[in-house]
Structure formats: C-alpha cells, structure tokens
Amino acid sequence: KSLAGSYTKLENGYEFRRKYPGSEFERPVRDHLVKLASETLHQAKLYQAVGEYQKALDHYNQILRYCSDLPVADQVKETMIDFQEVQSSIKKSTPSM
C-alpha cells in the first residue's frame, strides 16, 4: 500500500493499472498518477516557455501515452493545439534562406 504512492514514473502507474485493474490499490495508484501527470504537464509548459520544444513535446507525449484516460490528458490536448499554432506561426514568420 505504501508503494502505491511512491513510484516516480508515469509508466509505473500505467503498468500497475493495466496489470491489476480493480485492485484495492487502484485508487491510491491513480491519485499518485494524477499528481505525477500534473507535475509533468507543468514541467512541459516550462520547457515550452523557454523554447525547449522537443523536451516539452516529450513530456506531453508521456502524459498522452500513460494517462490518456485521465482529465490531465485533455489539458495536454488543448496545450498541444496551442503549441502547434505557435510552431506554425514561427515557421511562417521565419524568412527562408
């Protein structure tokens, strides 16, 4: 039970939920997964803000891969749309050489 809230990777929570659906530890594992996903989203937005676009995308993709059924995935999808719009406007404003 104590391990349910101590894992550090989204993948670990995902694997537990996949292997043991309906387990008595489902709730604490899910709660911790939501917390980790929110932290990952925050970190991704920071990467995006400082121009580290690949790192931001990597973090967004982790959330979409391992937390697709959680509300945080909807936030990522909205952020990804904004991210794509910013990227396309940057490409349009950059003169080609």
Side-chain angles (χ1 to χ4, degrees), residues 38-93:
S38 294
E39 291 170 0
T40 302
L41 177 60
H42 180 71
Q43 190 172 23
K45 287 182 177 184
L46 287 174
Y47 279 130
Q48 184 176 343
V50 298
E52 293 283 341
Y53 299 117
Q54 188 57 55
K55 288 181 181 179
L57 283 172
D58 291 344
H59 282 67
Y60 292 141
N61 284 329
Q62 275 188 351
I63 295 168
L64 292 175
R65 180 173 185 186
Y66 299 122
C67 307
S68 61
D69 65 327
L70 302 177
V72 70
D74 294 332
Q75 293 175 347
V76 170
K77 291 171 188 170
E78 291 169 11
T79 302
M80 293 286 287
I81 290 169
D82 294 341
F83 184 81
Q84 289 172 346
E85 289 172 0
V86 168
Q87 288 295 94
S88 67
S89 68
I90 290 172
K91 288 179 183 178
K92 288 177 185 177
S93 67

Side-chain angles (χ1 to χ4, degrees), residues 12 87 94:
N12 297 131
Q87 288 295 94
T94 305

